Amino acid sequence: MRQDIIDLIRTSSGENLQYFHQGSEEFLQTQNGVRYPVDGNILCFPETVTLTGNNKNYQKMYDRFSAFYDLATKGYALLKNGNEKNRLVQYLNLLNIENGDKVIEISIGTGRNIKYLNSAADYFGVDISLGMLKKCQRKMKRLHREITLIQAEAESLPIRDESFDVIFSAGGFNFFNDPGKAVNEMLRIAKSGVKILITDETEKLRLKYSKNEFYKANKVRQPAEYLPDFCKNIEYKEICDGDLYVLTFCKP
Ligand SMILES: C[S@@+](CC[C@H](N)C(=O)[O-])C[C@H]1O[C@@H](n2cnc3c(N)ncnc32)[C@H](O)[C@@H]1O
């Protein structure tokens, strides 16, 4: 594992980690001997085994749904926007990724956004669902794209402060147990001046499917309500015919 990746990771309570590769076993370990397994290049943080509330439910749901996720989302984009790229670039084009940037997607899922982004940047992805992360890992291999994947909660990122040049989250915000905590974590790991982007489904889209049991249980959040006062350049707009909102804001 790259040393700069080991240097960027720490436990969610702030402890340093060392990397070990013993036989076929790979793991990160704290000074007190607590081990964090590396499962085929996915860094696993055990907090994700004892999730509660929404996070527990959606982890279970996405582990099950991971095999069909790409097919379902591609089909939807095909119907609504002609193809997947036409839909995703409506928010991805707002990211302005430069060569060599450290980029992280929070709630990365199967990584469908990554293939439309600058391949000369250094990518990381966080998700609670190991099923989605494994799918993502296989896809990135096929696309010859290097990526570091971390199984952790958006609300508790095992990452050092001020580590990233680009931070975004697509499709996860309406699910998070604690959206305010997730926003604070994104701000914490952003370098100074960095733009953060959050996109998810709007209330308008949910109303179209108001009889659907899944949508009834899952409420739409107004992400701007969770931003601390110090955020700068806050912009909100709707895209994809009002299906999605995009909120961007900067860390001072
Ligand atoms: C609709 S999918 C979006 C996946 C991907 N970003 C995309 O645009 O296709 C939502 C993802 O959010 C993840 N997720 C939900 N709650 C989370 C949390 N609290 N922390 C991290 N990931 C979470 C789910 O496991 C799932 O993979």
Side-chain angles (χ1 to χ4, degrees):
M1 184 176 298
R2 278 166 33 203
Q3 187 59 45
D4 65 302
I5 296 175
I6 300 166
D7 292 344
L8 185 138
I9 302 294
R10 52 118 172 113
T11 68
S12 49
S13 55
E15 285 174 276
N16 289 334
L17 289 161
Q18 260 189 303
Y19 171 70
F20 293 91
H21 194 166
Q22 293 175 352
S24 60
E25 210 187 344
E26 282 183 85
F27 54 90
L28 296 164
Q29 187 170 290
T30 63
Q31 256 186 341
N32 300 334
V34 180
R35 285 185 183 188
Y36 293 81
V38 178
D39 178 346
N41 280 337
I42 302 174
L43 316 184
C44 301
F45 284 81
E47 293 86 345
T48 50
V49 177
T50 52
L51 297 179
T52 56
N54 267 6
N55 289 2
K56 182 179 179 178
N57 296 339
Y58 291 120
Q59 180 188 49
K60 215 194 259 172
M61 188 187 100
Y62 276 100
D63 275 345
R64 287 203 193 116
F65 190 44
S66 57
F68 315 102
Y69 181 81
D70 283 349
L71 200 65
T73 50
K74 258 194 189 138
Y76 188 77
L78 187 76
L79 285 175
K80 294 280 287 192
N81 306 87
N83 64 45
E84 183 176 69
K85 188 175 179 188
N86 287 344
R87 185 170 180 86
L88 304 187
V89 295
Q90 293 186 47
Y91 58 84
L92 295 177
N93 280 349
L94 302 171
L95 288 174
N96 314 321
I97 297 173
E98 300 198 358
N99 292 358
D101 274 353
K102 274 205 162 23
V103 181
I104 188 162
E105 179 173 358
I106 310 295
S107 67
I108 187 169
T110 61
R112 69 186 178 128
N113 293 304
I114 305 299
K115 73 174 169 194
Y116 303 112
L117 296 173
N118 181 354
S119 60
D122 188 11
Y123 287 94
F124 292 73
V126 171
D127 204 284
I128 44 172
S129 160
L130 196 57
M132 295 293 267
L133 289 172
K134 286 194 166 162
K135 196 92 208 250
C136 180
Q137 187 181 40
R138 286 196 291 275
K139 186 191 296 175
M140 293 302 128
K141 254 192 202 144
R142 269 198 316 274
L143 294 171
H144 304 288
R145 298 286 295 257
E146 215 183 285
I147 190 161
T148 305
L149 297 172
I150 304 167
Q151 190 194 19
E153 284 177 284
E155 295 91 333
S156 178
L157 299 173
I159 293 169
R160 282 184 202 287
D161 298 357
E162 313 226 322
S163 297
F164 284 93
D165 304 293
V166 177
I167 299 175
F168 72 104
S169 179
F173 200 76
N174 286 335
F175 296 144
F176 298 160
N177 258 357
D178 189 335
K181 222 168 161 191
V183 166
N184 286 338
E185 282 292 84
M186 289 184 222
L187 284 160
R188 182 182 65 74
I189 66 165
K191 292 180 185 167
S192 175
V194 156
K195 176 161 90 175
I196 298 172
L197 181 152
I198 297 174
T199 177
D200 209 338
E201 293 176 349
T202 56
E203 191 70 49
K204 230 183 268 173
L205 178 70
R206 293 295 168 88
L207 288 174
K208 283 191 208 164
Y209 301 103
S210 57
K211 293 211 172 83
N212 178 306
E213 287 305 319
F214 169 72
Y215 280 154
K216 261 195 232 168
N218 174 242
K219 297 273 170 282
V220 168
R221 269 84 179 255
Q222 294 307 322
E225 287 175 12
Y226 298 94
L227 300 189
D229 291 342
F230 62 75
C231 292
K232 301 243 183 278
N233 307 337
I234 301 166
E235 287 181 30
Y236 177 94
K237 65 176 177 177
E238 291 189 358
I239 55 168
C240 301
D241 300 325
D243 280 4
L244 303 179
Y245 67 74
V246 196
L247 176 75
T248 54
F249 53 99
C250 291
K251 176 171 175 170

